[in-house]
Amino acid sequence: MKKHKILIVDDEPKIIRFIAANLKSLGHETAACSSGPQALETIDSFDPDLLLLDIMMPGMDGFEVLERLRSFSNVPVIILTARSDSTDKVRGLNLGADDYLTKPFSLDELFARVNAVLRRIDGRAAVHAAASSEIRLGPVTLNLAQRRTWLADTEIKFTETEYNLFVLLIQNAGKVMTHEQLLSDVWGNEYRDDVEYLRVAIARIRQKLKQADEKLELIVTYPGVGYMAKAGE
């Protein structure tokens, strides 16, 4: 297993020790922060591959941390929270979280979520190395080597998950991709029924494209089926 750097952000020392010990047992390197401001400062120096972020922290909560983080980083984030309210889940995903785990959780569940996100990171190099270094579709340009996206002359800043989803749609332009296909290919087989993840990610992609070009309607929804990128745009 490849070694990854994982930053744990939680105001409960017991939770930090528990998660860190178990992630280290799998060979990962960990660092920990007990507050939002400390986490934002640590991101640059530690340069994590993954962030485990608690929501209910005093002062700056996890939602504010995530919102600030997404202004300068697309590092994958798994939200950890004691609140099981579905509105919190959607809010976290809307702010750019990659996954959501409700406390208390089992070690197996934690490992499964962490491994799913890390698989996406590790799999991207092999996928894009075999692909063309650049893809163009109408005003859209994807530089696969640099993992950057442009709409005409405007660069679009996607999170890790949004980028992977957008690339998959563009690579299959003109073809309807089912919910199950997209979820399995981007999130992993264990997420194939979690359509909410997909809907939120598609909405965020559309919002970012619209900010660059209000008239562009690139992604078509097929209700109950899936999504398609228009081949003729």
Side-chain angles (χ1 to χ4, degrees), residues 1 15 19 32 37 44 58-59 71 75 79 88 101 107 126-127 130 137 159 168 174 181 210-211 230:
M1 178 184 290
I15 294 288
I19 294 175
D44 284 337
S71 69
V75 61
I79 286 178
D88 282 346
L101 197 52
L107 273 179
V127 170
L137 180 67
T159 66
L168 187 59
Q181 282 179 302
K210 193 168 287 290
Q211 286 172 351
K230 291 182 182 178

Side-chain angles (χ1 to χ4, degrees), residues 129-176:
S132 168
S133 62
E134 188 171 277
I135 297 176
R136 292 179 181 270
L137 180 67
V140 174
T141 301
L142 293 172
N143 186 312
L144 299 180
Q146 297 178 1
R147 296 182 63 78
R148 298 173 72 182
T149 305
W150 284 269
L151 186 58
D153 296 325
T154 303
E155 184 170 4
I156 310 297
K157 298 289 189 179
F158 287 130
T159 66
E160 185 80 15
T161 299
E162 291 162 4
Y163 176 83
N164 292 339
L165 177 58
F166 190 63
V167 168
L168 187 59
L169 287 168
I170 296 299
Q171 287 176 327
N172 292 277
K175 176 182 176 183
V176 178

Side-chain angles (χ1 to χ4, degrees), residues 4-188:
H4 293 89
K5 297 167 71 175
I6 301 176
L7 179 61
I8 307 161
V9 186
D10 199 303
D11 64 334
E12 297 182 55
K14 287 184 179 179
I15 294 288
I16 288 178
R17 287 196 297 269
F18 172 73
I19 294 175
N22 283 285
L23 291 176
K24 287 176 181 176
S25 74
L26 297 180
H28 299 304
E29 180 182 351
T30 67
C33 299
S34 58
S35 72
Q38 184 186 5
L40 292 172
E41 289 180 9
T42 305
I43 291 288
D44 284 337
S45 58
F46 185 60
D47 191 23
D49 298 304
L50 173 64
L51 189 68
L52 301 181
L53 177 63
D54 184 37
I55 291 299
M56 298 178 69
M57 295 184 292
M60 186 187 297
D61 68 13
F63 290 130
E64 186 176 352
V65 174
L66 182 55
E67 188 170 16
R68 294 192 184 192
L69 176 69
R70 285 294 175 247
S71 69
F72 66 88
S73 173
N74 65 354
V75 61
V77 173
I78 298 177
I79 286 178
L80 308 177
T81 180
R83 302 195 296 201
S84 58
D85 190 337
S86 63
T87 59
D88 282 346
K89 174 180 178 180
V90 173
R91 183 181 177 190
L93 295 174
N94 274 325
L95 288 173
D98 296 80
D99 208 340
Y100 189 101
L101 197 52
T102 304
K103 299 175 182 177
F105 47 80
S106 68
L107 273 179
D108 287 344
E109 190 176 9
L110 173 65
F111 289 161
R113 299 297 176 114
V114 167
N115 289 336
V117 173
L118 294 178
R119 271 202 312 272
R120 294 173 219 162
I121 298 171
D122 294 341
R124 75 189 184 197
V127 170
H128 295 142
S132 168
S133 62
E134 188 171 277
I135 297 176
R136 292 179 181 270
L137 180 67
V140 174
T141 301
L142 293 172
N143 186 312
L144 299 180
Q146 297 178 1
R147 296 182 63 78
R148 298 173 72 182
T149 305
W150 284 269
L151 186 58
D153 296 325
T154 303
E155 184 170 4
I156 310 297
K157 298 289 189 179
F158 287 130
T159 66
E160 185 80 15
T161 299
E162 291 162 4
Y163 176 83
N164 292 339
L165 177 58
F166 190 63
V167 168
L168 187 59
L169 287 168
I170 296 299
Q171 287 176 327
N172 292 277
K175 176 182 176 183
V176 178
M177 304 289 287
T178 67
H179 296 149
E180 293 80 7
Q181 282 179 302
L182 293 169
L183 285 161
S184 295
D185 287 354
V186 175
W187 281 265

